[in-house]
Amino acid sequence: MQAAILERPGRFVVEERPLPDVGPNELRVRAEVCGMCTSELDMFEGVPSLEYPRFLGHEVSGVVDAVGSKVEGFAEGDRVALYAEGKGYAEYVTVPASWAVPLADGTPFEYALGEPIACSVNGVRKLQPELNDGVCIVGCGFMGLMMLQVFKARGAGHLIAVDTRESARRLALQVGATHAVGPGEAEDLVKDLTGGKGVDIGVEAAGIQATLDLTTKLVRMEGKLEVFGFHQGTKREVDWGYWNWMAFQIVNGHTRNPDVYVEGMRLGIGMIERGALDMAPLVTHRFALDQINEGFETASAKEEGFVKGVIAF
């Protein structure tokens, strides 16, 4: 099979590798799509102290090619979305059968990106939003735009999107935001909408110091502050005195439990299949496996109009 390996920063190479073996409790899946994840950009760009080569890719959907001897409930030819822990930029990938979620015949593979869907759904579930809660998401890339839709399905009141890019703000309004503004306008808007109190829930979804700082200014006293952005690189600074005084309910938006991932996938795929989660405007760029370097360069640039890129096999 063909597989793309990150040989060194800035360079994937496509090479032939043997088909992965299938254990008794596993599925081997012929990949149709693997999404390019923001968490992999630092590896592509060259984070200090990382070792290379690296076999990346964890946002896979495809067709079951082989079924382990102890697996029940799946058969060759089944369409599935996967939770994977790497090795997804390849024509075939093997995972535990418990990490697969069936897809309906009409569900496009490029929309069934199980791992980020699970992250977004679970990020909302961890907050336990109440009906009519005011929500502000700071950083409306692929994950933030999915979360907007999940919050809408959970009955959010004011649903405010904050992003530097005009194209992201337009798209946020398209998928359910009640308001969309740039960072410089966010504080005044939130004050106007909440009588100066702040939103009930603030989600930091970009993973940088500036968005972390801004989100804390938008949440009401004793409101919920979720750090959902994937923070990499240098350490972050926190004004703990202010956070403490405001008595924020601080939530880490991430999980590392595969069972929780799969439950979030199952819920998110269900939302897609009944029309409650619209992925069509979010998957904006598609690349073949031999175009993976171009794909990551495009994802790294984050120009206007880019939301999510996928490798389509």
Side-chain angles (χ1 to χ4, degrees):
M1 69 173 185
Q2 288 197 318
I5 310 299
L6 185 60
E7 183 181 54
R8 56 180 169 78
R11 178 171 170 78
F12 282 92
V13 293
V14 178
E15 61 186 39
E16 285 292 329
R17 290 212 166 189
L19 285 177
D21 294 331
V22 185
N25 295 302
E26 294 181 329
L27 300 176
R28 186 171 66 208
V29 174
R30 186 183 76 247
E32 294 286 343
V33 167
C34 185
M36 296 183 294
C37 182
T38 300
S39 68
E40 297 167 334
L41 288 179
D42 276 5
M43 303 175 201
F44 180 75
E45 294 164 358
V47 177
S49 78
L50 286 181
E51 295 182 358
Y52 296 85
R54 305 183 74 86
F55 196 172
L56 305 178
H58 55 267
E59 302 181 1
V60 181
S61 61
V63 178
V64 174
D65 170 71
V67 179
S69 60
K70 295 183 179 180
V71 173
E72 297 180 356
F74 289 98
E76 292 182 23
D78 285 351
R79 307 170 86 254
V80 291
L82 304 181
Y83 167 62
E85 292 185 330
K87 302 184 179 181
Y89 295 127
E91 291 180 305
Y92 294 85
V93 61
T94 299
V95 299
S98 60
W99 293 6
V101 172
L103 299 178
D105 288 342
T107 304
F109 289 111
E110 65 182 25
Y111 300 164
L113 303 176
E115 192 270 349
I117 291 170
C119 286
S120 299
V121 169
N122 288 331
V124 175
R125 294 170 70 205
K126 289 187 82 170
L127 286 162
Q128 299 182 336
E130 300 287 344
L131 288 173
N132 208 42
D133 271 351
V135 177
C136 184
I137 299 181
V138 181
C140 289
F142 181 60
M143 307 289 270
L145 291 166
M146 284 193 290
M147 292 184 82
L148 278 170
Q149 298 181 68
V150 180
F151 274 118
K152 182 180 179 181
R154 290 290 296 261
H158 293 307
L159 193 47
I160 305 161
V162 179
D163 201 278
T164 57
R165 297 182 301 168
E166 182 181 354
S167 59
R169 298 194 296 270
R170 288 197 306 266
L171 189 49
L173 291 170
Q174 179 182 330
V175 300
T178 58
H179 303 78
V181 295
E185 305 166 89
E187 288 185 72
D188 287 341
L189 175 65
V190 167
K191 287 178 181 178
D192 289 344
L193 292 175
T194 65
K197 293 180 180 179
V199 293
D200 301 296
I201 295 173
V203 178
E204 185 283 309
I208 60 175
Q209 183 72 55
T211 52
L212 186 61
D213 292 340
L214 176 57
T215 308
T216 63
K217 298 176 182 178
L218 306 177
V219 181
R220 67 168 173 83
M221 186 171 281
E222 298 198 20
K224 297 174 182 177
L225 170 63
E226 181 172 71
V227 182
F228 184 82
F230 196 66
H231 286 263
Q232 300 179 94
T234 58
K235 293 181 179 180
R236 303 294 184 253
E237 295 183 357
V238 170
D239 185 354
W240 186 249
Y242 177 71
W243 287 33
N244 191 25
W245 171 253
M246 292 297 289
F248 291 138
Q249 300 176 55
I250 301 167
V251 178
N252 184 335
H254 296 271
T255 185
R256 294 291 175 258
N257 184 325
D259 293 337
V260 177
Y261 263 116
V262 173
E263 179 62 16
M265 283 173 51
R266 196 178 309 279
L267 293 170
I269 294 298
M271 291 181 67
I272 291 172
E273 294 180 345
R274 67 175 186 272
L277 179 57
D278 185 5
M279 302 291 284
L282 307 189
V283 180
T284 54
H285 291 66
R286 298 155 184 84
F287 303 91
L289 187 61
D290 61 4
Q291 297 175 308
I292 191 169
N293 287 300
E294 177 187 345
F296 268 82
E297 289 164 3
T298 302
S300 181
K302 289 187 176 67
E303 296 178 353
E304 288 282 356
F306 178 87
V307 180
K308 181 67 171 182
V310 299
I311 301 300
F313 293 89

